[in-house]
């Protein structure tokens, strides 16, 4: 299902153990986004990890140079031909493996869009996460599509980005 080109030797299948490790170390802005979009009142790393792990679709983990998980991500089909992405990482993981994370995310997105039955891959982030929005555009080639005003649990604005299959 994914493009035959490899994403990098430090990209491996995602496990629940990886996600627990990462959710215990999740960046503050990612934690705020998780809470805003899931509606939970308090953050429980184990609950978040199980939620990510049980998300149907694709999942991967990027290992750091210390062989510990730096970040994990994936995508799930939310409507026929439409996939929603997700990612969780530690502050150290993002700062030290951002190139590998970008390659893995691009590999997944491009692989999905090569499929005949996939026409759109999308991502969301809190508008307050300016660096995430910049990464979606510059590094992943996604287009901004607008703002879901007051969408988050506490009225946070959420930005939507997408990349669509070329016709």
């Amino acid at each position: 299902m994914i493009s035959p080109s490899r994403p990098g030797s430090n990209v491996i299948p995602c496990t629940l153990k990886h996600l627990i490790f990462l959710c215990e170390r999740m960046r503050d802005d990612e934690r705020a986004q998780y809470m805003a979009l899931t509606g939970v009142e308090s953050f429980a790393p184990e609950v978040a990890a199980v939620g990510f792990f049980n998300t149907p679709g694709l999942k991967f983990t990027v290992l750091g140079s210390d062989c510990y998980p730096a970040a994990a991500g994936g995508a799930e089909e939310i409507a026929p031909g439409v996939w929603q992405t997700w990612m969780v990482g530690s502050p150290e993981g993002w700062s030290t493996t951002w190139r590998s994370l970008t390659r893995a995310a691009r590999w997944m997105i491009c692989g999905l869009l090569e499929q005949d039955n996939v026409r759109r891959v999308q991502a969301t982030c809190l508008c307050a996460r300016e660096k995430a929005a910049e990464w979606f555009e510059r590094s992943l080639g996604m287009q901004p599509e607008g703002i879901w005003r007051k969408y988050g649990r506490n009225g946070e604005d959420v930005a939507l980005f997408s990349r669509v299959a070329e016709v």
Side-chain angles (χ1 to χ4, degrees):
M1 174 168 200
I2 294 294
S3 171
S5 60
R6 291 182 38 91
S9 60
N10 64 332
V11 179
I12 63 171
C14 183
T15 69
L16 180 57
K17 189 174 181 179
H18 297 158
L19 290 167
I20 291 170
F21 179 88
L22 290 166
C23 287
E24 288 173 343
R25 293 157 179 81
M26 187 185 285
R27 295 178 351 165
D28 290 339
D29 63 333
E30 289 180 351
R31 187 175 297 197
Q33 178 167 312
Y34 174 85
M35 293 174 66
L37 297 181
T38 61
V40 298
E41 290 185 33
S42 61
F43 184 76
E46 298 83 8
V47 172
V50 169
F52 286 125
F53 187 74
N54 286 334
T55 300
L58 306 172
K59 298 174 191 65
F60 64 87
T61 296
V62 176
L63 298 177
S65 60
D66 58 2
C67 295
Y68 283 95
E76 70 172 309
E77 189 172 26
I78 59 170
V82 178
W83 288 70
Q84 174 73 37
T85 63
W86 59 269
M87 188 166 274
V88 57
S90 68
E92 302 79 24
W94 274 103
S95 66
T96 61
T97 62
W98 64 270
R99 282 188 179 97
S100 293
L101 296 171
T102 300
R103 274 195 303 272
R106 273 193 287 203
W107 171 75
M108 180 183 70
I109 291 167
C110 290
L112 282 167
L113 291 172
E114 289 174 1
Q115 305 304 305
D116 290 336
N117 60 344
V118 177
R119 67 181 181 281
R120 174 185 176 89
V121 178
Q122 64 184 36
T124 56
C125 69
L126 295 181
C127 288
R129 297 185 65 209
E130 293 176 12
K131 288 189 182 210
E134 183 180 312
W135 184 69
F136 290 148
E137 287 187 70
R138 280 191 182 175
S139 300
L140 301 184
M142 295 184 139
Q143 300 297 312
E145 291 196 330
I147 307 296
W148 295 340
R149 296 178 334 149
K150 306 278 184 205
Y151 185 86
R153 180 181 188 281
N154 296 308
E156 298 91 344
D157 291 341
V158 175
L160 176 65
F161 299 84
S162 75
R163 192 159 155 190
V164 296
E166 300 297 321
V167 181

